[in-house]
PDB file of all heavy atoms in Angstrom:
ATOM      1  N   ILE C  57     -24.154 -15.305   2.920  1.00  0.00           N
ATOM      2  CA  ILE C  57     -23.546 -16.375   2.110  1.00  0.00           C
ATOM      3  C   ILE C  57     -22.515 -15.774   1.158  1.00  0.00           C
ATOM      4  O   ILE C  57     -21.392 -16.261   1.026  1.00  0.00           O
ATOM      5  CB  ILE C  57     -24.638 -17.140   1.323  1.00  0.00           C
ATOM      6  CG1 ILE C  57     -25.587 -17.845   2.297  1.00  0.00           C
ATOM      7  CG2 ILE C  57     -24.008 -18.148   0.374  1.00  0.00           C
ATOM      8  CD1 ILE C  57     -26.827 -18.428   1.659  1.00  0.00           C
ATOM      9  N   GLY C  58     -22.917 -14.661   0.508  1.00  0.00           N
ATOM     10  CA  GLY C  58     -21.985 -13.982  -0.399  1.00  0.00           C
ATOM     11  C   GLY C  58     -20.718 -13.564   0.321  1.00  0.00           C
ATOM     12  O   GLY C  58     -19.608 -13.717  -0.199  1.00  0.00           O
ATOM     13  N   PHE C  59     -20.896 -13.072   1.553  1.00  0.00           N
ATOM     14  CA  PHE C  59     -19.733 -12.621   2.321  1.00  0.00           C
ATOM     15  C   PHE C  59     -18.806 -13.787   2.655  1.00  0.00           C
ATOM     16  O   PHE C  59     -17.580 -13.651   2.624  1.00  0.00           O
ATOM     17  CB  PHE C  59     -20.188 -11.911   3.589  1.00  0.00           C
ATOM     18  CG  PHE C  59     -19.043 -11.372   4.390  1.00  0.00           C
ATOM     19  CD1 PHE C  59     -18.320 -10.284   3.945  1.00  0.00           C
ATOM     20  CD2 PHE C  59     -18.673 -11.973   5.585  1.00  0.00           C
ATOM     21  CE1 PHE C  59     -17.251  -9.795   4.673  1.00  0.00           C
ATOM     22  CE2 PHE C  59     -17.605 -11.492   6.323  1.00  0.00           C
ATOM     23  CZ  PHE C  59     -16.891 -10.395   5.863  1.00  0.00           C
ATOM     24  N   ILE C  60     -19.402 -14.954   2.945  1.00  0.00           N
ATOM     25  CA  ILE C  60     -18.575 -16.132   3.239  1.00  0.00           C
ATOM     26  C   ILE C  60     -17.745 -16.509   2.011  1.00  0.00           C
ATOM     27  O   ILE C  60     -16.553 -16.817   2.117  1.00  0.00           O
ATOM     28  CB  ILE C  60     -19.457 -17.310   3.713  1.00  0.00           C
ATOM     29  CG1 ILE C  60     -19.998 -16.991   5.104  1.00  0.00           C
ATOM     30  CG2 ILE C  60     -18.663 -18.619   3.727  1.00  0.00           C
ATOM     31  CD1 ILE C  60     -21.123 -17.889   5.549  1.00  0.00           C
ATOM     32  N   PHE C  61     -18.369 -16.411   0.816  1.00  0.00           N
ATOM     33  CA  PHE C  61     -17.599 -16.672  -0.404  1.00  0.00           C
ATOM     34  C   PHE C  61     -16.513 -15.620  -0.600  1.00  0.00           C
ATOM     35  O   PHE C  61     -15.414 -15.927  -1.072  1.00  0.00           O
ATOM     36  CB  PHE C  61     -18.522 -16.741  -1.620  1.00  0.00           C
ATOM     37  CG  PHE C  61     -19.126 -18.101  -1.805  1.00  0.00           C
ATOM     38  CD1 PHE C  61     -20.436 -18.359  -1.415  1.00  0.00           C
ATOM     39  CD2 PHE C  61     -18.374 -19.138  -2.330  1.00  0.00           C
ATOM     40  CE1 PHE C  61     -20.993 -19.623  -1.564  1.00  0.00           C
ATOM     41  CE2 PHE C  61     -18.917 -20.406  -2.483  1.00  0.00           C
ATOM     42  CZ  PHE C  61     -20.230 -20.649  -2.083  1.00  0.00           C
ATOM     43  N   ALA C  62     -16.815 -14.376  -0.216  1.00  0.00           N
ATOM     44  CA  ALA C  62     -15.803 -13.325  -0.324  1.00  0.00           C
ATOM     45  C   ALA C  62     -14.612 -13.663   0.567  1.00  0.00           C
ATOM     46  O   ALA C  62     -13.455 -13.483   0.177  1.00  0.00           O
ATOM     47  CB  ALA C  62     -16.402 -11.978   0.059  1.00  0.00           C
ATOM     48  N   LEU C  63     -14.898 -14.155   1.775  1.00  0.00           N
ATOM     49  CA  LEU C  63     -13.813 -14.577   2.666  1.00  0.00           C
ATOM     50  C   LEU C  63     -13.021 -15.710   2.019  1.00  0.00           C
ATOM     51  O   LEU C  63     -11.794 -15.759   2.100  1.00  0.00           O
ATOM     52  CB  LEU C  63     -14.369 -15.044   4.011  1.00  0.00           C
ATOM     53  CG  LEU C  63     -14.856 -13.958   4.962  1.00  0.00           C
ATOM     54  CD1 LEU C  63     -15.329 -14.593   6.259  1.00  0.00           C
ATOM     55  CD2 LEU C  63     -13.763 -12.942   5.236  1.00  0.00           C
ATOM     56  N   GLY C  64     -13.775 -16.620   1.346  1.00  0.00           N
ATOM     57  CA  GLY C  64     -13.121 -17.726   0.637  1.00  0.00           C
ATOM     58  C   GLY C  64     -12.166 -17.197  -0.422  1.00  0.00           C
ATOM     59  O   GLY C  64     -11.023 -17.646  -0.530  1.00  0.00           O
ATOM     60  N   TYR C  65     -12.644 -16.187  -1.184  1.00  0.00           N
ATOM     61  CA  TYR C  65     -11.769 -15.557  -2.185  1.00  0.00           C
ATOM     62  C   TYR C  65     -10.510 -15.033  -1.524  1.00  0.00           C
ATOM     63  O   TYR C  65      -9.388 -15.259  -1.986  1.00  0.00           O
ATOM     64  CB  TYR C  65     -12.514 -14.412  -2.883  1.00  0.00           C
ATOM     65  CG  TYR C  65     -11.630 -13.256  -3.266  1.00  0.00           C
ATOM     66  CD1 TYR C  65     -10.853 -13.305  -4.429  1.00  0.00           C
ATOM     67  CD2 TYR C  65     -11.524 -12.137  -2.449  1.00  0.00           C
ATOM     68  CE1 TYR C  65     -10.004 -12.263  -4.756  1.00  0.00           C
ATOM     69  CE2 TYR C  65     -10.673 -11.100  -2.768  1.00  0.00           C
ATOM     70  CZ  TYR C  65      -9.916 -11.164  -3.914  1.00  0.00           C
ATOM     71  OH  TYR C  65      -9.063 -10.145  -4.233  1.00  0.00           O
ATOM     72  N   PHE C  66     -10.719 -14.319  -0.401  1.00  0.00           N
ATOM     73  CA  PHE C  66      -9.611 -13.630   0.270  1.00  0.00           C
ATOM     74  C   PHE C  66      -8.580 -14.640   0.776  1.00  0.00           C
ATOM     75  O   PHE C  66      -7.377 -14.496   0.543  1.00  0.00           O
ATOM     76  CB  PHE C  66     -10.187 -12.815   1.426  1.00  0.00           C
ATOM     77  CG  PHE C  66      -9.231 -11.822   2.001  1.00  0.00           C
ATOM     78  CD1 PHE C  66      -8.892 -10.674   1.293  1.00  0.00           C
ATOM     79  CD2 PHE C  66      -8.680 -12.017   3.251  1.00  0.00           C
ATOM     80  CE1 PHE C  66      -8.018  -9.751   1.821  1.00  0.00           C
ATOM     81  CE2 PHE C  66      -7.806 -11.089   3.786  1.00  0.00           C
ATOM     82  CZ  PHE C  66      -7.475  -9.955   3.073  1.00  0.00           C
ATOM     83  N   VAL C  67      -9.076 -15.694   1.427  1.00  0.00           N
ATOM     84  CA  VAL C  67      -8.171 -16.677   2.033  1.00  0.00           C
ATOM     85  C   VAL C  67      -7.409 -17.451   0.947  1.00  0.00           C
ATOM     86  O   VAL C  67      -6.187 -17.607   1.024  1.00  0.00           O
ATOM     87  CB  VAL C  67      -8.966 -17.641   2.942  1.00  0.00           C
ATOM     88  CG1 VAL C  67      -8.094 -18.801   3.390  1.00  0.00           C
ATOM     89  CG2 VAL C  67      -9.513 -16.885   4.142  1.00  0.00           C
TER      90      VAL C  67
END
Side-chain angles (χ1 to χ4, degrees):
Chain C
I57 296 170
F59 182 71
I60 290 166
F61 275 102
L63 285 182
Y65 146 81
F66 193 72
V67 170

